[in-house]
Amino acid sequence: TAYDAIARKRPMFLVSKVDLAPNAEREVYLNGVRLGGLNELRLIPAKEVKEIRFVRAIDGGAYGVGRSGGAILIISKSGR
């Protein structure tokens, strides 16, 4: 799943201690649509993922995210 892929590549992004709000959960977006929290990553098959972007809380405004815990932006291969 996408969660497993992130856990292997960037595990600290799943549980951040260095961001502005270490206790705030990351928001997950799939092709620009908000899905919810980190558990939603477990529903996305890794083979369907084209790109994963990590947005820190401090940079969230640039993406219109505005979440204190930052965000994970998933782009699927199908784009839908």
Side-chain angles (χ1 to χ4, degrees), residues 4-66:
D4 296 327
I6 293 169
R8 281 191 303 276
K9 298 280 186 179
R10 298 203 55 195
M12 288 306 295
F13 206 80
L14 296 174
V15 183
S16 176
K17 301 290 184 203
V18 296
D19 219 335
L20 294 177
N23 295 324
E25 186 171 346
R26 308 284 189 212
E27 293 291 330
V28 174
Y29 291 78
L30 177 61
N31 300 320
V33 177
R34 183 180 173 273
L35 295 181
L38 294 175
N39 283 331
E40 302 302 322
L41 290 170
R42 296 181 191 278
L43 303 175
I44 303 170
K47 65 181 180 180
E48 297 296 322
V49 175
K50 176 181 178 182
E51 182 178 346
I52 300 173
R53 295 182 187 170
F54 303 93
V55 181
R56 298 181 316 145
I58 198 166
D59 300 325
Y63 289 89
V65 175

